[in-house]
Amino acid sequence: MEIRIFETEAGVDKAAADYVAARITEKKGFVLGLPTGGTPEGMYAKLVDKVNKGELSFKGITTFNLDEYAGYKGDEPQAYLRFMKEHLFDHVDIEEGAYNVPNMSGDTTEKEATYGYENKIAGKGGIDLMVLGMGGNGHIGFNEPGTPFGLGVHRVELTEKTRQDNSRFFASIDDVPTAAITMGIRSIMNCRSLIMIVKGSAKAKVLAQALSGPVTEDIPASVLQLHPQAIIFADKEAASCL
Ligand code: F6R
């Protein structure tokens, strides 16, 4: 595992965007995995800049997002699909239907939302590069501490900690959904390469545990130690306990 440390958050955003931009042009039909959250916003802004300047194109690229709240159609203010449209998809030349976000709304059954999503990823030949953020308790996707490493795409009940962390995007904690559909650790480890972006001192301790402690389901991000092609992009605050 490689760790790249940058002075500032902006430095992380630029480096991550440059890395993703270089990778997605490396082969035709590149398949990219994407996260939502505060962490990747800066990287998405830089990718949009590159497209606007004519330096990058998303034509021919397929994307798969990590997760979505269960029951969300995608147009709710906090929906991850809406986030992705606002931060990336509506501002780049990605083709209609080429971006995918898990969906378990309306009549969609849990099986369709989980196995269906997994089959769609497999149908595209798997994910070439997955971009991850990390939660304050070491979660990746919505894989909370204690989630078995063997799970593929699945429905998950959210922990109180994650609901608290995410409540900043809602009017109150009561409005935060209690369940989500997420790629599991098995889905993440199946990606051919991964980057994880981590910023800020609040995540420093858990990042150090994840990267230098034992590989344990108690700290989901620690599994990245076992991935042959994983790079961590961190600012110096997040890296301060390494
Ligand atoms: C979001 C996701 C989550 C976030 C994590 C960090 O799609 O998969 O694991 O990456 O909760 O969130 P932020 O970046 O808001 O600190």
Side-chain angles (χ1 to χ4, degrees):
M1 190 172 48
E2 191 189 326
I3 306 173
R4 301 185 187 175
I5 300 170
F6 301 86
E7 276 299 308
T8 60
E9 285 199 15
V12 176
D13 297 340
K14 181 181 182 312
D18 288 348
Y19 181 82
V20 170
R23 290 293 313 278
I24 65 177
T25 48
E26 109 193 337
K27 72 168 195 190
K28 234 180 132 201
F30 197 91
V31 182
L32 179 65
L34 295 171
T36 56
T39 307
E41 281 182 16
M43 178 191 75
Y44 290 144
K46 293 223 158 15
L47 288 171
V48 169
D49 267 0
K50 286 178 188 290
V51 171
N52 286 338
K53 288 183 188 148
E55 298 166 3
L56 179 69
S57 172
F58 276 78
K59 282 213 175 82
I61 308 290
T62 301
T63 67
F64 286 95
N65 264 78
L66 273 167
D67 43 17
E68 177 63 281
Y69 291 118
Y72 271 33
K73 296 193 304 295
D75 57 359
E76 296 81 357
Q78 300 85 4
Y80 287 3
L81 174 58
R82 180 159 170 174
F83 173 98
M84 289 307 303
K85 286 183 169 174
E86 283 175 5
H87 290 275
L88 188 70
F89 302 150
D90 282 353
H91 310 289
V92 298
D93 54 351
I94 193 163
E95 283 140 340
E96 198 59 42
Y99 53 81
N100 301 278
V101 176
N103 181 296
M104 191 185 145
S105 66
D107 295 338
T108 312
T109 63
E110 184 173 330
K111 199 169 160 195
E112 284 161 355
T114 56
Y115 293 117
Y117 200 61
E118 208 150 71
N119 287 339
K120 211 165 178 185
I121 295 170
K124 286 285 170 190
I127 293 175
D128 293 302
L129 171 66
M130 167 61 75
V131 182
L132 297 168
M134 183 187 73
N137 58 5
H139 73 239
I140 47 179
F142 268 122
N143 297 282
E144 302 289 2
T147 307
F149 282 166
L151 292 181
V153 181
H154 63 283
R155 181 182 195 276
V156 63
E157 302 302 320
L158 304 185
T159 64
E160 243 357 83
K161 165 86 177 118
T162 296
R163 292 185 69 238
Q164 290 281 0
D165 284 353
N166 289 8
S167 65
R168 66 189 192 276
F169 300 113
F170 295 80
S172 90
I173 177 93
D174 299 331
D175 297 331
V176 184
T178 56
I181 302 293
T182 184
M183 288 190 200
I185 298 292
R186 178 165 54 77
S187 334
I188 292 170
M189 291 299 278
N190 277 344
C191 300
R192 284 186 275 284
S193 61
L194 307 167
I195 65 170
M196 184 169 79
I197 307 171
V198 190
K199 298 171 179 174
S201 55
K203 293 178 182 172
K205 216 168 137 202
V206 72
L207 183 64
Q209 287 172 317
L211 303 188
S212 334
V215 175
T216 163
E217 289 173 351
D218 294 337
I219 302 180
S222 67
V223 77
L224 298 195
Q225 292 183 40
L226 304 179
H227 197 287
Q229 298 285 349
I231 310 176
I232 312 302
F233 287 76
D235 66 3
K236 69 173 195 291
E237 272 87 36
S240 60
C241 296
L242 293 176

